[in-house]
Amino acid sequence: MSHPDDLLVAIASMVESDQDSQMSLTVVTPGAVITGRLAPEALWRERVAEVLRDSARLGHFAVPFTEAGRGEEPSRPSHLHFHMARILQGSYGIPDTGGMYRVALADVSAWTVGGIGYSDQQ
């Protein structure tokens, strides 16, 4: 989408303003279908920074995630921040345990409320 869906932007704005991470969503982007729960950007950044800090080789990459966006006024979201998310590929969800994904709202071509699971996982 060259212009993000206003309804999807409203959902992302509510996740940000409520600081709530309970909204499940599935989106279609070029090359991927992603399903998972949305997280406020600050929470998403914090969790990514924690994972990076725990790595002996990647710890220094945590800095941009902890410094960016501090003290800024909330604005219209430009991205969706997924946690506990999977890229759907055939009959598999990658990774098995769920990952952290940042998706540009402008790249979402289709979406639905709720997560998509597999019959053997439900």
Side-chain angles (χ1 to χ4, degrees):
M1 272 185 198
S2 58
H3 176 73
D5 182 322
D6 289 336
L7 185 54
L8 189 55
V9 171
I11 291 169
S13 294
M14 288 183 72
V15 168
E16 289 296 329
S17 66
D18 295 346
Q19 293 296 296
D20 189 325
S21 61
Q22 298 303 307
M23 173 56 103
S24 293
L25 195 72
T26 299
V27 298
V28 177
T29 64
V33 175
I34 299 172
T35 189
R37 289 199 334 216
L38 294 178
E41 183 175 1
L43 175 64
W44 183 87
R45 286 178 180 271
E46 179 182 313
R47 290 201 176 144
V48 171
E50 286 173 8
V51 169
L52 292 170
R53 274 194 300 270
D54 289 346
S55 169
R57 293 180 316 150
L58 301 175
H60 62 284
F61 285 104
V63 173
F65 291 92
T66 58
E67 292 179 350
R70 289 184 183 230
E72 292 179 9
E73 293 276 329
S75 60
R76 180 180 166 108
S78 61
H79 290 78
L80 298 170
H81 296 87
F82 284 91
H83 72 115
M84 298 174 55
R86 293 185 173 127
I87 295 174
L88 302 180
Q89 180 67 38
S91 61
Y92 298 100
I94 305 166
D96 287 337
T97 57
M100 307 289 284
Y101 299 104
R102 177 175 160 109
V103 177
L105 281 160
D107 289 342
V108 175
S109 60
W111 60 276
T112 187
V113 171
I116 295 177
Y118 300 104
S119 59
D120 63 337
Q121 294 177 344
Q122 296 181 14

